[in-house]
Amino acid sequence: METKMSVLDVARPDVDHDVARQVIAERISVLCEEGVEQKAAHLATIVSHYGAHPFTPLEQTRRTMGLDREAFAELLHLFDSVPELALAVEQGPAGKYWSNTIKPLNAAGALDAAVERRFAFPVSVGLYPGPTCMFRCHFCVRVTGARYAADALSPGNEILAAVIDEVPNDGGTTMYMSGGLEPLTNPGVGELITQAAGRGLDLTMYTNSFALTDATLSRQPGVWDLGALRTSLYGLNDEEYEQTTTKKGAFSRVKANLQRFMHQRQERGSDIRLGFNHIILPGRTGRLIDLVDFIAELNESSPDRPLDFVTVREDYSGREDGRLDGKEREELLHGLDAFVEYAERHTPEMTIDLGYALESLHRGVDAELLRIRPDTMRPAAHPQVAVQVDLLGDVYLYREAGFPDLEGAHRYVAGRVTSDRSLHDVLREFVESGREVQPVAGDEYFLDGFDQSVTARLNQLDQDVADGWGRFRGLVRAS
Ligand code: SF4
């Protein structure tokens, strides 16, 4: 039996263009009298294009479609008059990019503030409390041996506490703890978490979980006040862990830590959400089924409270040694299907987030991985969207810049939070002074996948405004 397709489906990769055109024609026939079929065909093209290629400037799309400005503007008006078309774009293979990153930032007005270079308190504030890290991951940018001095801890924690206190708890800003270095190496991290929870902030901590031991938890019970604990996973056995982190026996210890943590979480009836970040490294595309087996084994430690989520990503760093070759991408194309299907059977309660690029691949479109380069980085960065604060109170403009002694990274410090200078003060001054950082080769590695997506979106919005399409900038805006 044939199921009726709706406008919401028109960006799905398996949809026939003629069928998409008909569905849209039916919907817009009440809105325009002439040329309905042709306009519908054009709108189908636009929706399916942006569903898979979200960063295209409007003028480029107009030229590719061979339309004059008047005809294109009429289409954009029509697009805005039919809200289902924007929703259809989100159903496309690149939908995660729209729904996870762009929509929340649009709704908060952060992207407009960045384009207009107005001060706005950031939507995301990262705290980097770790003074050191016990691993030495081969892809990590941190400088071997570099750490924060022991006497930086106490004043640093006071600064971070002050930042927690000034973050508006109106739901407009999310806060997380990460690094930089490893958060659990800070003996005051539990108190900071409790303070954030006391202000109603749903804090996520990114950790390698090597120090998530009973001893840490008894010294720092505040860890239980986290909203979520997200463990970065570096392999599925001791050998893989050692190859990646150079630490012997680390997998066994992380696994034992997590088994105990999950067991205690169940015993306590704790609400804390637990999950993994898993980056697919070259040579390990075939391990996704083993990942599910590992999680299923962990779940045996707390059958009533299984692991909540896993995010799987490619290496976004842009480094050559992180890139999957053609054969591996081909394997991944099939491997992702098998992974999702296997996980549905063995870890049915776990949410899988494949992110923008892998979700596209999973849906049959090999999406372009964003590659922001120094010449496409934005000298004013995007402090209206996200900043990160380290133990010295230094406010970093990009997520991968907050490491001690990292060459060139100090240029991306917007300013320092002190006892008499708040994060608000630092950011207002940075934005209103018009200060810029001129990127040089290698600076692109300071951007993580999120920073890259935001940069691409802002560049697109700037281009649309410059091309005279400001009224329609970015195609899909706040909804
Ligand atoms: S990636 Fe994380 S765990 Fe690995 S060395 Fe860097 S800070 Fe430590």
Side-chain angles (χ1 to χ4, degrees):
M1 195 179 72
E2 205 178 301
T3 10
K4 178 120 173 63
M5 197 183 113
S6 92
V7 173
L8 296 179
D9 300 314
V10 299
R12 295 185 189 277
D14 48 354
V15 165
D16 179 81
H17 186 80
D18 283 337
V19 179
R21 176 180 49 77
Q22 280 168 24
V23 172
I24 295 175
E26 268 174 43
R27 176 65 180 81
I28 65 170
S29 58
V30 288
L31 299 170
C32 50
E33 285 161 10
E34 286 172 19
V36 170
E37 289 292 318
Q38 194 182 41
K39 285 174 191 159
H42 287 324
L43 283 171
T45 301
I46 290 173
V47 170
S48 100
H49 178 82
Y50 281 88
H53 307 281
F55 318 112
T56 317
L58 288 170
E59 183 64 9
Q60 188 179 320
T61 306
R62 180 189 76 79
R63 290 214 179 108
T64 310
M65 293 175 73
L67 296 171
D68 63 31
R69 287 186 69 92
E70 197 185 338
F72 193 59
E74 195 185 343
L75 286 174
L76 296 177
H77 268 296
L78 260 176
F79 182 91
D80 278 355
S81 315
V82 182
E84 301 98 294
L85 291 172
L87 293 173
V89 169
E90 284 175 47
Q91 305 298 318
K96 280 282 165 65
Y97 162 76
W98 292 105
S99 53
N100 286 5
T101 307
I102 299 310
K103 264 182 93 169
L105 297 179
N106 269 344
L111 297 171
D112 281 345
V115 165
E116 291 160 20
R117 299 180 69 165
R118 280 187 281 111
F119 167 75
F121 197 79
V123 172
S124 162
V125 175
L127 302 181
Y128 286 8
T132 185
C133 180
M134 60 293 278
F135 289 171
R136 184 68 202 89
C137 299
H138 64 74
F139 53 77
C140 179
V141 296
R142 88 184 173 89
V143 180
T144 304
R147 52 180 297 158
Y148 293 88
D151 61 5
L153 265 177
S154 170
N157 285 346
E158 280 176 30
I159 296 287
L160 296 179
V163 172
I164 289 170
D165 272 345
E166 71 165 297
V167 166
N169 57 354
D170 56 5
T173 298
T174 55
M175 187 172 244
Y176 67 95
M177 271 184 182
S178 181
L181 303 170
E182 165 54 39
L184 283 176
T185 59
N186 182 327
V189 86
E191 282 173 35
L192 293 171
I193 294 166
T194 300
Q195 187 188 339
R199 295 208 60 229
L201 295 164
D202 183 19
L203 202 72
T204 294
M205 180 161 74
Y206 294 72
T207 170
N208 61 34
S209 287
F210 187 81
L212 192 70
T213 57
D214 278 347
T216 302
L217 290 169
S218 62
R219 278 194 305 267
Q220 304 206 59
V223 169
W224 290 107
D225 291 331
L226 282 168
L229 189 138
R230 192 181 271 269
T231 300
S232 303
L233 202 57
Y234 297 116
L236 290 168
N237 55 44
D238 279 330
E239 200 189 351
E240 284 181 356
Y241 251 70
E242 193 176 336
Q243 274 170 14
T244 304
T245 70
T246 69
K247 189 100 176 161
K248 280 194 194 309
F251 173 77
S252 300
R253 175 159 159 173
V254 168
K255 179 177 169 186
N257 287 349
L258 290 170
Q259 282 171 323
R260 277 196 309 271
F261 190 81
M262 288 177 73
H263 181 69
Q264 288 181 41
R265 177 176 76 148
Q266 181 173 288
E267 297 282 292
R268 289 168 158 253
S270 159
D271 288 335
I272 187 169
R273 302 180 303 284
L274 204 59
F276 284 121
N277 258 15
H278 179 73
I279 294 182
I280 302 179
L281 295 171
R284 297 195 194 160
T285 49
R287 305 300 311 276
L288 287 170
I289 298 292
D290 300 327
L291 171 66
V292 177
D293 285 340
F294 168 57
I295 293 169
E297 189 187 341
L298 284 181
N299 286 346
E300 289 168 13
S301 320
S302 65
D304 298 335
R305 277 303 302 285
L307 194 103
D308 300 277
F309 60 87
V310 64
T311 64
V312 181
R313 299 280 189 273
E314 276 182 82
D315 180 0
Y316 272 97
S317 70
R319 288 183 174 74
E320 284 306 320
D321 62 356
R323 193 167 297 170
L324 305 177
D325 64 23
K327 187 166 162 283
E328 285 192 301
R329 293 188 70 75
E330 185 64 26
E331 272 172 32
L332 202 52
L333 189 64
H334 305 294
L336 287 171
D337 277 346
F339 164 60
V340 171
E341 192 263 331
Y342 192 75
E344 272 165 11
R345 280 191 283 128
H346 296 272
T347 53
E349 278 151 285
M350 179 175 76
T351 305
I352 298 173
D353 180 353
L354 294 177
Y356 149 66
L358 291 182
E359 180 72 27
S360 295
L361 192 64
H362 177 48
R363 296 178 58 182
V365 177
D366 197 354
E368 52 201 312
L369 251 192
L370 278 169
R371 293 281 176 234
I372 297 296
R373 303 283 178 208
D375 60 340
T376 48
M377 284 176 68
R378 303 173 62 79
H382 46 250
Q384 301 85 346
V385 174
V387 293
Q388 296 63 227
V389 187
D390 78 353
L391 260 184
L392 302 176
D394 283 341
V395 180
Y396 284 89
L397 295 168
Y398 294 120
R399 290 183 168 182
E400 294 287 329
F403 290 85
D405 301 342
L406 183 59
E407 197 184 336
H410 64 278
R411 293 181 300 118
Y412 290 97
V413 173
R416 180 170 284 187
V417 179
T418 61
S419 52
D420 51 12
R421 216 156 158 254
S422 67
L423 181 58
H424 269 90
D425 295 338
V426 168
L427 294 177
R428 187 178 286 282
E429 186 183 314
F430 177 81
V431 173
E432 293 181 353
S433 69
R435 211 180 105 200
E436 295 193 332
V437 185
Q438 293 310 324
V440 297
D443 285 1
E444 65 273 28
Y445 298 131
F446 295 141
L447 282 67
D448 77 344
F450 173 82
D451 287 324
Q452 294 188 37
S453 298
V454 170
T455 303
R457 176 64 172 180
L458 291 171
N459 289 345
Q460 175 192 32
L461 295 174
D462 271 354
Q463 189 63 50
D464 287 349
V465 171
D467 290 334
W469 295 112
R471 154 88 178 74
F472 302 104
R473 64 192 179 284
L475 185 69
V476 177
R477 292 174 304 282
S479 54

